[in-house]
Amino acid sequence: MRKVITGEQVAQLYNRDPFALPAWRAPVYQTPAGIILLVQLFRLLGWLVRLIARHPAAATVLAVLALVWFSLGWPGLAALVACAVVSLAAWRWFWPVSFARWISSPARGRWRAWCYRRRWAGVMAISGAAPSHQGQVVLPVLGKVTATRYTDQMAVRLVSGQSPADVAKHAEALAHGFGALLCRVRTARSGAVVLEFVRRDALAALVPALPIPAHPDLKALPVGRREDGLPWLVKLHGTHVLVAGATGAGKASLLWGLVRAMFPLLQDGLVKVLAADPKLMELAYGRIIFETYGAYAASPVAIAAMLDQAVADMQARAGRFAGRQRDHTPTREDPFVVVVVDEVAFLTAYQPDRKLKERIMLALATLTTQGRALGYAVVAALQDPRKDVLTIRNLFPDRIAMRLDEPEQADMVLGDGAYDRGAMCELISPDPATGAGVAFVRLEADPDPVRVRAGWVSDIDIREMAAACLPEPEPAEPIGWPEVAA
């Protein structure tokens, strides 16, 4: 049994002045070195168990490498590494999608997470995004980091009492602190936000027209590229789309991109396009496409007649669907109808004929309020997004804002708060090589704007689609030579 020295004994032993007050001290216990070593060993084992549980793949790889090293030596280890490298290269070459999902994307995310965690405390404190409480800086908690070739998204749990607007005020400082081009604060669940850092601009170069899909989906039509490098998919079935942009912003490329993405469905008779082209410029170049698979109108009178006929057909379809079905599935008997209106402001605000203007407005309002469930979609493009120009602006659930002239116009098109969320449409370059087709998209289900760029559909691409609409010429009969009498 070990000897215990109490505080009174320590005070009596080390106090040489008999008249001084005793200096009371805690008892001193001498822990054996074996117990200390055993405790540290258990701590090491616990750390290894947690490390293996958190990183099972890395632990398995290290275990296999160690086993091969002790069994076969360095030649076996070199052969194993060479086989692994060849297998990964073949996987990357033949199955790039699955390789990106299981290998490159997780690895990139872990690397970027380590880079952000290393600088997290300093950048958050210096930028002012981390509040202070009782003289101490309280850091938001950094969660999972998802990285692509162009953007990084990180989940952040806010400090109690902190709002997403408090972080958004320091977005520019955060972008500079982490070496990114841009930082956006996106909404998430209560008490959390998603910080999106743009490291490389995927939309700096011109995006060529995407290939015509073999099996188009009306709820996901590929028309361009998103800021994170993924394809930009536009939904038409079950919604209406409003496109706003200044002159030369690239609205025509988006409209032709939608037609190009739907072209196989047009040829199959499952989709019909009604084109209203009051400018007689953009849609007229492929007029034969609309006349073959729908209708084309240019004058205000013809446009009004076409829209009235569309409303009548829609209401007739509603009478047939009543009590039988609640949603529309495209068929040859009841195709999906897309009403494309280029420069709708000329028909709704700048039209001198008041009766004709009211007639067109009534038809568009009827189509946008009743056509979603009946297989009718309206795609309207305009330059001036003010409310007095298009009074039915709120009837379009999905909106696309291209280059605009004033910062306030971004909120007019995309809704209140869109500019604060990063939709700076007035900063889009007017240079066609760098800014044509660039836009911010706000969907009905997501209030956060997403930066995209529409593919540029050239005149050659339009002529190729128009050539496919022409009937094939019948082969000429061979010219017979007259028989010569013997």
Side-chain angles (χ1 to χ4, degrees), residues 73 141 192 281 286 333 370 390 483:
V141 180
M281 287 299 295
E333 293 75 18
Q370 303 179 12
L390 185 63
E483 296 182 0

Side-chain angles (χ1 to χ4, degrees), residues 210-455:
L210 300 184
I212 298 178
H215 304 285
D217 184 3
L218 290 173
K219 295 184 179 181
L221 296 173
V223 295
R225 182 187 301 167
R226 300 194 336 176
E227 191 175 39
D228 55 4
L230 299 177
W232 175 24
L233 305 178
V234 175
K235 175 185 176 182
L236 285 185
H237 193 277
T239 188
H240 306 290
V241 181
L242 177 65
V243 184
T247 302
K251 299 185 296 296
S253 293
L254 177 57
L255 298 181
W256 279 115
L258 292 173
V259 175
R260 181 178 177 85
M262 296 185 299
F263 195 69
L265 297 178
L266 293 173
Q267 294 177 315
D268 294 339
L270 300 178
V271 175
K272 184 169 65 173
V273 179
L274 308 180
D277 187 21
K279 293 195 304 182
L280 282 171
M281 287 299 295
E282 299 297 344
L283 302 181
Y285 196 79
R287 178 173 180 174
I288 188 174
I289 300 175
F290 307 114
E291 292 178 344
T292 305
Y293 305 117
Y296 175 87
S299 65
V301 177
I303 293 174
M306 182 181 67
L307 295 178
D308 290 340
Q309 184 61 41
V311 171
D313 296 340
M314 181 189 67
Q315 293 175 346
R317 181 182 294 183
R320 289 186 284 107
F321 285 1
R324 297 173 50 194
Q325 62 187 74
R326 298 177 57 188
D327 198 5
H328 172 261
T329 301
T331 60
R332 287 184 174 85
E333 293 75 18
D334 295 305
F336 182 74
V337 181
V338 182
V339 181
V340 179
V341 185
D342 187 20
E343 196 50 56
V344 67
F346 178 78
L347 303 173
T348 59
Y350 309 140
Q351 176 56 237
D353 192 338
R354 183 176 59 85
K355 293 184 178 180
L356 191 60
K357 179 175 65 175
E358 294 177 354
R359 180 181 168 189
I360 294 174
M361 282 293 300
L362 179 61
L364 290 175
T366 306
L367 290 171
T368 51
T369 53
Q370 303 179 12
R372 297 179 64 178
L374 296 172
Y376 280 75
V378 179
V379 180
L382 76 164
Q383 298 183 19
D384 191 350
R386 290 178 299 172
K387 189 70 174 181
D388 54 352
V389 174
L390 185 63
T391 57
I392 60 173
R393 188 179 62 195
N394 293 334
L395 298 180
F396 291 85
D398 297 339
R399 305 175 190 179
I400 302 172
M402 293 186 167
R403 178 173 54 84
L404 299 172
D405 298 328
E406 302 174 359
E408 297 79 8
Q409 293 180 343
D411 290 344
M412 295 180 187
V413 180
L414 303 177
D416 294 337
Y419 187 84
D420 295 334
R421 294 189 180 98
M424 301 178 182
C425 300
E426 81 285 356
L427 299 182
I428 298 176
S429 175
D431 184 8
T434 58
V438 178
F440 289 89
V441 179
R442 177 192 174 276
L443 302 179
E444 181 181 14
D446 188 3
D448 293 324
V450 179
R451 187 167 172 261
V452 297
R453 186 167 189 175

Side-chain angles (χ1 to χ4, degrees), residues 153-175:
Q153 289 187 348
M154 58 179 68
V156 178
R157 190 170 74 242
L158 300 178
V159 179
S160 298
Q162 193 178 25
S163 66
D166 298 334
V167 182
K169 292 187 299 184
H170 308 282
E172 185 176 359
L174 293 176

Side-chain angles (χ1 to χ4, degrees), residues 58-270:
T60 303
V61 171
L62 290 177
V64 171
L65 292 178
L67 181 61
V68 173
W69 172 267
F70 287 111
S71 300
L72 303 176
W74 70 265
L77 183 61
L80 179 62
V81 172
C83 292
V85 171
V86 172
S87 300
L88 291 176
W91 189 1
R92 171 66 178 83
W93 180 265
F94 293 104
W95 301 281
V97 177
S98 61
F99 182 84
R101 178 181 179 183
W102 296 105
I103 302 297
S104 61
S105 295
R108 187 185 296 113
R110 292 181 183 276
W111 165 251
R112 296 302 303 171
W114 180 83
C115 294
Y116 285 115
R117 294 184 193 280
R118 184 170 57 92
R119 306 165 60 185
W120 180 253
V123 174
M124 295 297 288
I126 295 175
S127 65
S132 60
H133 177 67
Q134 295 182 352
Q136 294 183 352
V137 177
V138 185
L139 292 175
V141 180
L142 176 60
K144 182 180 179 181
V145 177
T146 304
T148 65
R149 295 174 55 191
Y150 304 98
T151 61
D152 297 334
Q153 289 187 348
M154 58 179 68
V156 178
R157 190 170 74 242
L158 300 178
V159 179
S160 298
Q162 193 178 25
S163 66
D166 298 334
V167 182
K169 292 187 299 184
H170 308 282
E172 185 176 359
L174 293 176
H176 286 282
F178 288 112
L181 299 177
L182 187 66
C183 174
R184 296 194 186 95
V185 180
R186 302 195 178 277
T187 56
R189 57 182 177 84
S190 178
V193 295
V194 175
L195 297 182
E196 183 180 27
F197 290 95
V198 181
R199 294 183 289 105
R200 294 173 53 194
D201 190 2
L203 310 179
L206 190 67
V207 179
L210 300 184
I212 298 178
H215 304 285
D217 184 3
L218 290 173
K219 295 184 179 181
L221 296 173
V223 295
R225 182 187 301 167
R226 300 194 336 176
E227 191 175 39
D228 55 4
L230 299 177
W232 175 24
L233 305 178
V234 175
K235 175 185 176 182
L236 285 185
H237 193 277
T239 188
H240 306 290
V241 181
L242 177 65
V243 184
T247 302
K251 299 185 296 296
S253 293
L254 177 57
L255 298 181
W256 279 115
L258 292 173
V259 175
R260 181 178 177 85
M262 296 185 299
F263 195 69
L265 297 178
L266 293 173
Q267 294 177 315
D268 294 339
L270 300 178

